[in-house]
Amino acid sequence: MEYKKKTQDSEIQDSLEYAEGIINTVREPLLVLNGGLRVISASRSFYRIFKVKPEDTEKQHIYDLGSRQWDIPKLRELLENILPKTASFDDFEVEHIFPDIGRRVMLLNAREIYQKATRAKLILLAIEDITERKLTEETLARQAKELIRSNTELERFAFVASHDLQEPLRMVSSYMQLLETRYKDKLDSDAHEFIGFAVDGVNWMQTLINALLTYSQLGTKAKEFELTDCDKVVTRALLNLQVAIQEHNAKVTHGPLVTVMADSSQLEQLFQNLIGNAIKFKAKGQPFVHIAVEEKGDDWVFSVKDNGIGIDPKSSEHIFEIFQRLHSREAYPGTGIGLAICKKIVERHGGEIWVESKPGEGSTFYFTLKKAGANI
């Protein structure tokens, strides 16, 4: 009988040492409590993170730890009300301010287990510190709220731009033209030229406002994503560009394209802008444009390659900024907003856009779109 008891004691000791090894191996803080909620042992990470000593922890009631820092109402709720009914519980969130380490948000996982040899109840309490994660989530929530506020202001601006700002410009343009018509016989050539400059300036301001309005509405008046056949999208874009294609005798080709989840109208605008730019910034001779796509992980990588005048690599990032131009309006018409619109469309679809080019050697614009079914 005595031999059997010694064997049991030895097995219990081995089990305790084995459990102690596991407890000290896990990275999360871990407490082992007895049925009376006194600490039997704690992991090294518990002592390190919560800045307490073993002699102030072991055999102490959990609520008495650290001058009763652990007397937390929600912890009491878990240990005294929930756990006795369920025997286990996962991801029980507790927030508390500790005097030494400040605010902590913790996920508690608890298990009741019974030792076969002694029939004693133990409670394993694992503590995951998610304070940094919570701070990140709170920051993202604030940023999302700020983004909503910013978009709301952008919508208001779009309304003002399309109404309040346009009306005085139309009035200025009308009166300048009326002035020229009514007093044309009394004005010299300089006056007519000045009136022309003023009217051109007003017209250009209206063009810029409309471009800015288009840019602002990319997010506020966007459509839901749907399965979109890029072959059909490119066909519609080419129809829209038919006049420019015929005028410049451009040749636009593409290989087999793919179906993606997208806002079809914005995707059409994206291809139209890139193809239109390739035709506009042509070199001598016939413009050639080729559109292709290849698979890369969860993305489709599209390319729009031309044989145009090319771009200095130093400008490869600036060209996607709003109203950035590399050439004068006299040389190449346009507002300088087309590539900024492309960038905003691609980013709304969870992708990236970039260009590879050298002056005189043409350009290839690349952009990525997620495969249908991939997370954006």
Side-chain angles (χ1 to χ4, degrees):
M1 194 72 175
E2 186 177 343
Y3 173 76
K4 186 176 181 181
K5 184 178 184 305
K6 286 183 178 179
T7 302
Q8 283 183 338
D9 290 344
S10 177
E11 289 176 353
I12 291 172
Q13 184 61 35
D14 289 344
S15 297
L16 288 173
E17 290 176 0
Y18 179 69
E20 192 74 21
I22 294 174
I23 289 169
N24 284 317
T25 300
V26 295
R27 298 181 64 180
E28 289 77 20
L30 183 66
L31 289 174
V32 181
L33 311 175
N34 64 18
L37 301 183
R38 290 187 176 275
V39 179
I40 297 176
S41 62
S43 65
R44 282 195 289 263
S45 57
F46 178 84
Y47 297 125
R48 184 184 71 255
I49 291 174
F50 293 101
K51 301 187 185 306
V52 292
K53 299 177 181 178
E55 57 267 28
D56 298 327
T57 302
E58 293 176 4
K59 298 182 181 179
Q60 298 295 314
H61 197 283
I62 186 169
Y63 303 142
D64 293 332
L65 296 180
S67 300
R68 299 194 66 80
Q69 290 183 36
W70 285 82
D71 191 0
I72 306 169
K74 287 202 71 174
L75 178 61
R76 281 184 175 271
E77 181 185 354
L78 174 64
L79 296 177
E80 297 175 13
N81 299 327
I82 298 175
L83 196 59
K85 297 175 184 177
T86 61
S88 66
F89 202 91
D90 292 326
D91 296 338
F92 188 81
E93 188 172 313
V94 174
E95 182 175 340
H96 188 62
I97 298 176
F98 293 90
D100 293 335
I101 60 174
R103 173 182 177 253
R104 284 292 181 269
V105 184
M106 303 170 285
L107 285 183
L108 305 184
N109 295 330
R111 294 287 185 278
E112 281 187 352
I113 60 174
Y114 289 87
Q115 290 181 309
K116 290 182 180 180
T118 62
R119 296 184 179 179
K121 182 176 79 170
L122 298 177
I123 297 172
L124 297 182
L125 183 64
I127 305 165
E128 182 183 358
D129 187 344
I130 60 167
T131 308
E132 295 302 321
R133 187 202 310 174
K134 273 290 184 181
L135 288 173
T136 300
E137 290 173 357
E138 290 167 2
T139 300
L140 290 174
R142 284 196 301 272
Q143 289 174 344
K145 188 176 180 180
E146 176 63 22
L147 186 60
I148 292 171
R149 186 196 63 77
S150 176
N151 283 340
T152 302
E153 289 182 354
L154 194 59
E155 287 185 52
R156 291 197 193 103
F157 167 78
F159 180 81
V160 170
S162 61
H163 295 84
D164 298 358
L165 292 181
Q166 294 279 24
E167 189 54 37
L169 286 173
R170 280 192 289 268
M171 185 177 69
V172 171
S173 179
S174 296
Y175 275 105
M176 293 301 295
Q177 290 171 347
L178 183 63
L179 180 67
E180 183 177 35
T181 302
R182 183 169 296 182
Y183 297 101
K184 66 178 181 180
D185 295 334
K186 298 179 181 180
L187 299 175
D188 60 17
S189 59
D190 285 345
H192 286 290
E193 186 178 20
F194 296 157
I195 290 173
F197 288 153
V199 171
D200 287 345
V202 168
N203 291 338
W204 178 240
M205 179 64 76
Q206 288 177 320
T207 300
L208 290 177
I209 289 173
N210 288 329
L212 198 57
L213 181 60
T214 300
Y215 183 80
S216 71
Q217 290 175 339
L218 288 174
T220 58
K221 291 193 175 181
K223 296 196 305 184
E224 294 290 329
F225 290 177
E226 59 185 0
L227 284 173
T228 302
D229 185 343
C230 290
D231 281 289
K232 294 180 179 178
V233 169
V234 169
T235 298
R236 292 198 301 270
L238 292 177
L239 284 173
N240 297 337
L241 292 167
Q242 194 168 12
V243 172
I245 291 172
Q246 291 175 350
E247 181 182 344
H248 296 282
N249 191 30
K251 184 175 182 180
V252 183
T253 60
H254 65 84
L257 300 179
V258 294
T259 297
V260 295
M261 287 296 293
D263 178 334
S264 58
S265 297
Q266 288 191 351
L267 204 56
E268 180 181 331
Q269 189 174 14
L270 171 63
F271 278 112
Q272 185 173 322
N273 284 359
L274 292 176
I275 298 167
N277 274 357
I279 295 171
K280 179 166 69 173
F281 294 102
K282 68 184 186 69
K284 293 181 180 179
Q286 183 182 22
F288 286 96
V289 185
H290 182 71
I291 305 159
V293 63
E294 63 179 20
E295 187 176 8
K296 186 175 182 181
D298 288 336
D299 295 327
W300 293 113
V301 181
F302 291 81
S303 59
V304 179
K305 182 180 177 63
D306 65 55
N307 64 338
I309 61 174
I311 300 168
D312 189 329
K314 294 178 182 178
S315 303
S316 60
E317 292 184 9
H318 299 303
I319 59 173
F320 295 103
E321 296 172 5
I322 191 167
F323 295 137
Q324 287 294 317
R325 301 178 58 91
L326 301 183
H327 309 277
S328 68
R329 280 197 291 138
E330 290 73 25
Y332 294 96
T335 60
I337 203 173
L339 288 177
I341 287 175
C342 291
K343 184 173 187 285
K344 194 167 185 180
I345 290 173
V346 171
E347 288 179 347
R348 181 181 174 239
H349 287 72
E352 298 178 48
I353 186 169
W354 68 97
V355 64
E356 293 179 2
S357 180
K358 290 182 180 180
E361 297 183 16
S363 304
T364 303
F365 283 84
Y366 297 92
F367 64 89
T368 62
L369 295 176
K370 294 293 180 185
K371 292 180 182 176
N375 292 325
I376 295 179

